[in-house]
Amino acid sequence: MQPTVLKFGGTSVHDDAALLRLANIVRSQLEDLPVVVVSAMRGVTDALLTGTRLAREGHAGRGFEAVEAQISRYSAVAAALLPEEAAGAVDDLVARAALEISDLLRIISLHPGTFLPLQDEIVSYGERLSASLVAEVLRSRDIPGVAVDARRCIVTSEEHTQAAPLPGPTDESTRAALLPLLESRQVPVLGGFIGSSTSGATTTLGRGGSDYTAALVGAAVDSREIQIWTDVTGFLTADPRVASNARPIDRLSYAEAAELALSGAKVLHPKTIQPAVERAIPVRVCNSHFPTEPGTRIDAESIPSPLAVKAIAHKPGITIVQVISTRMLGAHGFLRALFEVFDRNRTAVDVVSTSEVSVSLSVEDARSLPTIVEELRTLGTVRVESGYAIISVVGEGLQSTPGIPARVFGAISDLEIALISQGASDINLTCVIREEVVNDAVRRLHDTFFGG
Ligand code: ADP
Ligand code: ASP
Ligand code: MG
């Protein structure tokens, strides 16, 4: 038995028309044993987070208003698409969710210290309601959908908001929950992004984490393909919101897709590739508005393009940390001590550049920076500057293709480049530049490599 995982993102479940498209896509693959993974409707996770923040600031009532306006969309879509009884069942679920969320918000406003675990609990309602609604919509279209609580499948660490899935228990629980349904030709529908810790608390996998769930589920059931259905026709040559002439890419290797995702191509959560690589499962990124378009296929094969460059990715919101120390001169153990500081504080470093007396690093997650800076002061003078962006040119064989750096630096020669990284792998050239010029830089590099 080789199922297929189909993941539908926030815009692919956000209204009645989107849900009808979803049902048609699932129907067209019924022979391939679909497992459906869904996100919250677009905007719902943001509203749930806003509600939690307001409650934490002491405004539980206002927080609930922000939430209620959004989760009522599930009832509205159910009323538009479902027979009366099924619509009533969804309505009951939404009403119960509203009551429970309201209680949780009140607890947060009274005990702000409880906020993180309760935030994950509150946020999980978005994906849980999506799964229930989508299963009902499928059944109303004669497709045997069954909602499965993803917290029974994805077993994680206790790190709220950024939980790490535990591979062994996740595989086991996912198979136990899904295989009997698939054997009886039912279509499991589960929410992405959410899991539960070994102690039973609700956890989440980080923003955009439904893609990651799809890959974890795909690996657990040894699926033939993991399909990511979204609002663009696959990976494009750049972020289409920045380069309006960006065009779809037919094929990417796992390494290229992972590099692009890590460098900010939001179309795929960066952790999605790992479970797929481990079981050699192809990933396909498709457009739910144009289901017959092939989208982008991602697998182990590396197909160098004549240009070497496949795409340009960028990520704003980057902070540069610089440590200057004469102790570095000829000393060993300095870099290890420096990286241990970031490691202890669970902060990932993206780009690193060193000189004889200083090290500069870029980080995205600035939450632990106050502690990190404090600890780094024992190593030297520390400077921190926010407001940067990463920009990466990605493609297999890039480093061995002559002339690429000259073309990259030629296109952005007038911009100040704070950090450069090339040579760590053969597939990317990465710079860190000021955030306010990054969109312009993306457009210029796109024109350079893909024409205007
Ligand atoms: P979903 O809700 O389906 O998960 P996301 O909003 O997370 O969708 O991801 C899709 C969005 O990613 C696109 O609408 C696009 O704006 C953005 N994006 C950024 N870089 C790229 C890229 N290189 N190719 C395609 N989309 C990209
Ligand atoms: N709903 C979650 C988010 O908005 C997860 C996802 O959409 O992948 O981040
Ligand atoms: Mg996404």
Side-chain angles (χ1 to χ4, degrees), residues 135-146:
E136 287 289 0
V137 170
L138 291 179
R139 280 204 293 279
S140 74
R141 264 68 191 167
D142 295 324
I143 301 167
V146 183

Side-chain angles (χ1 to χ4, degrees), residues 2 36 43 51 64 75 102 111 116 125 240 248 250 365 409 420 425 445:
Q2 262 213 309
V36 178
F64 182 65
S75 298
S102 160
H111 312 281
L116 265 190
Y125 282 96
D250 298 340
D365 177 2
F409 297 124
I420 298 173
S425 77
L445 287 170

Side-chain angles (χ1 to χ4, degrees), residues 7 208 211 266-267:
K7 177 260 171 177
D211 301 331
K266 189 190 165 212
V267 63

